[in-house]
Amino acid sequence: MDIDAFSAVNGDKWARLHVLAYKRRLDGSEADELLRLYQTTSAHLSLLRSVAPESGLSASLSATLAQARTRFTGARSNFMDDLARFFVIALPAALYRIRWLTVWCGLAFCLVAGAYALWIAASPDALRALGSDATVKQYVERDFVDYYSENPAASFAGAVWTNNAWIAAQAVALGITGFWVPMILFSNAQGLGIAAGVFAAVGKSDVFFSYILPHGLMELTAVFIACAAGLKIFWAMVSPGPRTRGQAVAAEGRSLITVALGLVVVLFVSGLVEGFVTPSSLPVWAKITIGAAVLAAYWTYVLVWGRRAYRSGASGDLDSADAGYTALAS
């Protein structure tokens, strides 16, 4: 196909479509003309892409068609409206849907961590296997505590935030594998349980919990939330119900990736607590109270706002147009 000749024949139509697509107001006849030109130009673009998919003309027509589509499908809400809908409806509804699975993940985590803590605390052989007496003493008296204050609070909080957000995103996105979530839960529970056991073995459990609880209450809950979302996607593949397996996984995936995005905010707050509150000179009771208040705020958000959004029919999924369930007739 001669693209120059094709452009010469149809250029006036494309130019007219561009004018109508960007015109501030359209009357009835112009709206009808816009729709006709949109359908014609869509066919032209398909033909062009079969010959020269990366051409500048293809890109230009794509942009014009996108603007035209916006005109006759209705303008999308602005950014602030979308942001409000996300935090008031989509996110709390998605979190509410997995509330019980979040609790079960937390219970499984605590059982594994508790078992390791009891084992290390009660078994001198297990404690010696972790290192010499000098190594254990240095870990308890210096390494563990210094970890929270060896870097500037702001940079430490940022590093913790990005690392934990990445772990949460992996738990949600790779939950479909079926093994990733149990692996994350077990490995984190094992690490925490061993650390708790070491401190218990030397009679310093109070030091351990004074540094773990202020930020850990919310941070670990965020891990449980991410794991619950990942398991929910996995279960959609195992038991899709009346939907096809692809439809079930797609719907749950869209809904629960919402959770991963929301956890970025949750973990940001947790990172601030870990960076600024945990190593601070505040009394231990004050630091733990701050951590508990953050956790209480999260569950209030889920159980109040989430229940309301969920009962209104929200699930955290995209609307039908964005999800690809509706298409324009041609």
Side-chain angles (χ1 to χ4, degrees):
M1 183 180 72
D2 187 331
I3 295 180
D4 291 335
F6 188 69
S7 299
V9 171
N10 297 290
D12 290 344
K13 296 177 182 177
W14 301 340
R16 178 59 177 167
L17 176 64
H18 184 85
V19 170
L20 293 175
Y22 286 91
K23 189 174 181 180
R24 187 176 182 83
R25 294 181 181 276
L26 299 175
D27 59 29
S29 62
E30 288 174 331
D32 292 339
E33 184 183 7
L34 175 68
L35 182 57
R36 289 195 301 271
L37 289 173
Y38 173 86
Q39 294 171 334
T40 300
T41 305
S42 294
H44 293 167
L45 179 60
S46 297
L47 184 59
L48 279 171
R49 282 178 169 168
S50 68
V51 177
E54 302 298 329
S55 68
L57 180 58
S58 294
S60 176
L61 289 181
S62 294
T64 301
L65 286 169
Q67 176 63 23
R69 188 184 306 114
T70 299
R71 293 305 303 274
F72 57 74
T73 57
R76 300 299 306 274
S77 58
N78 62 39
F79 172 75
M80 295 307 297
D81 289 339
D82 290 337
L83 192 65
R85 184 184 184 281
F86 176 81
F87 283 107
V88 175
I89 299 175
L91 179 59
L95 293 171
Y96 184 79
R97 289 179 60 227
I98 59 171
R99 65 196 185 284
W100 286 115
L101 195 50
T102 299
V103 172
W104 284 113
C105 286
L107 289 175
F109 180 96
C110 291
L111 287 174
V112 173
Y116 269 96
L118 290 173
W119 175 45
I120 299 297
S123 173
D125 291 337
L127 184 63
R128 280 194 295 270
L130 296 175
S132 64
D133 291 344
T135 300
V136 170
K137 182 178 180 180
Q138 179 175 336
Y139 174 73
V140 170
E141 295 183 355
R142 295 185 55 188
D143 294 349
F144 181 82
V145 175
D146 290 348
Y147 167 75
Y148 295 100
S149 57
E150 60 187 0
N151 293 306
S155 61
F156 177 64
V160 168
W161 175 37
T162 53
N163 178 68
N164 289 336
W166 173 237
I167 292 174
Q170 288 181 21
V172 177
L174 299 179
I176 194 172
T177 62
F179 71 85
W180 195 264
V181 166
M183 182 187 72
I184 287 177
L185 278 176
F186 182 83
S187 61
N188 281 275
Q190 181 187 49
L192 185 70
I194 290 174
V198 169
F199 275 83
V202 298
K204 292 191 175 182
S205 291
D206 56 331
V207 176
F208 175 78
F209 287 110
S210 71
Y211 278 87
I212 285 294
L213 289 180
H215 65 275
L217 289 171
M218 190 66 254
E219 183 176 275
L220 289 174
T221 299
V223 173
F224 307 152
I225 296 164
C227 289
L231 288 175
K232 189 77 171 176
I233 296 173
F234 171 70
W235 190 247
M237 182 181 68
V238 173
S239 180
R243 301 171 293 183
T244 66
R245 187 163 279 105
Q247 289 173 337
V249 171
E252 292 293 356
R254 289 191 305 268
S255 298
L256 296 170
I257 284 296
T258 299
V259 171
L261 296 175
L263 285 179
V264 172
V265 179
V266 172
L267 288 168
F268 174 72
V269 176
S270 176
L272 290 178
V273 175
E274 186 168 2
F276 292 93
V277 176
T278 297
S280 72
S281 58
L282 290 171
V284 173
W285 66 264
K287 293 192 286 187
I288 294 177
T289 298
I290 292 172
V294 172
L295 181 64
Y298 166 78
W299 280 111
T300 300
Y301 174 70
V302 172
L303 297 178
V304 176
W305 292 76
R307 182 189 290 113
R308 184 182 305 161
Y310 181 73
R311 288 181 175 177
S312 72
S315 67
D317 196 0
L318 300 174
D319 59 34
S320 59
D322 289 333
Y325 291 139
T326 60
L328 297 170
S330 60

